[in-house]
Amino acid sequence: MSFKSVNDILGGLEQQAKWQEPPLQSLLKCWAEIVGAVVAAHARPVSIQRDVLSVATSSAAWSQNLTFGRQSLLLKLNQKLPTPLVDIRFSTANWRLPPETQKLEQTILPREHPSYLGDQSSSIPDVIPTLKNVNAAFEDWARAMQRRSHNLPLCPGCQCPTPPGELQRWRVCAPCAAKQLANNS
């Protein structure tokens, strides 16, 4: 009977743990290193089924671009993975924004938007229309809109009341800005 050293036993256990690690987990660890930071920001491995890697992409353009370079990417991945992959499929179907991006979007406050009118609840109470009929509801809404827009500056393009933030940002109201962008395209 031969005795093995503790280092040999621990080394064997460590190798066995790496061998038993799911292939997707080992791929996720080296994904950014293999594809680069730019591609990693727009493409994320989702699953490996029957030795085919599924990658979620941020847009159809990224899917198409990565599909063209699929063979070279497959060679790079197979050099790093213990179990070789047969193919790679790219799709936008499972794309989700990273949590950091979602948090950034949630931190934008309403008062930072160019259309923000300020707190008007103290000066002009909003009228909740009673739905006796459609005409009465429309008249209540029209009166509320007139009160809300009474002191707003006018858009130089269409002469509609416009929040000051929109005029500051685009020099016109949002619909006029959208028309200008559409005409420039």
Side-chain angles (χ1 to χ4, degrees):
M1 178 159 111
S2 69
F3 292 101
K4 293 184 177 181
S5 71
V6 173
N7 288 337
D8 289 340
I9 294 171
L10 289 176
L13 290 173
E14 187 179 66
Q15 290 291 45
Q16 186 179 11
K18 284 182 183 175
W19 187 76
Q20 291 177 349
E21 181 180 40
L24 184 61
Q25 295 304 318
S26 58
L27 175 65
L28 288 172
K29 290 179 183 176
C30 62
W31 177 254
E33 174 189 329
I34 293 171
V35 299
V38 175
V39 174
H42 294 279
R44 270 185 244 114
V46 176
S47 67
I48 298 176
Q49 295 177 352
R50 297 183 182 169
D51 298 328
V52 175
L53 174 63
S54 295
V55 177
T57 60
S58 63
S59 69
W62 275 102
S63 292
Q64 185 176 16
N65 191 25
L66 291 170
T67 300
F68 290 139
R70 178 170 95 235
Q71 293 303 321
S72 64
L73 183 57
L74 196 57
L75 290 173
K76 289 179 187 178
L77 290 171
N78 283 338
Q79 290 174 353
K80 295 274 187 175
L81 296 176
T83 308
L85 297 171
V86 176
D87 201 4
I88 306 173
R89 302 276 188 250
F90 300 97
S91 172
T92 59
N94 293 318
W95 181 257
R96 303 279 187 264
L97 289 175
E100 309 88 48
T101 308
Q102 290 175 346
K103 287 179 186 173
L104 286 176
E105 289 178 358
Q106 292 171 355
T107 59
I108 296 172
L109 300 174
R111 69 175 176 268
E112 295 171 356
H113 191 275
S115 298
Y116 181 69
L117 294 174
D119 184 22
Q120 297 191 359
S121 59
S122 59
S123 60
I124 304 171
D126 277 338
V127 177
I128 300 174
T130 55
L131 297 177
K132 295 176 185 173
N133 63 33
V134 176
N135 290 334
F138 176 76
E139 289 171 8
D140 289 343
W141 173 82
R143 278 193 296 274
M145 291 300 109
Q146 284 176 342
R147 278 195 309 271
R148 195 176 292 170
S149 63
H150 182 67
N151 293 322
L152 292 178
L154 299 179
C155 168
C158 64
Q159 299 302 309
C160 289
T162 305
E166 286 183 13
L167 290 175
Q168 241 179 347
R169 187 176 205 173
W170 301 305
R171 293 186 203 98
V172 290
C173 66
C176 288
K179 285 179 190 174
Q180 289 174 356
L181 285 173
N183 291 338
N184 292 339
S185 297

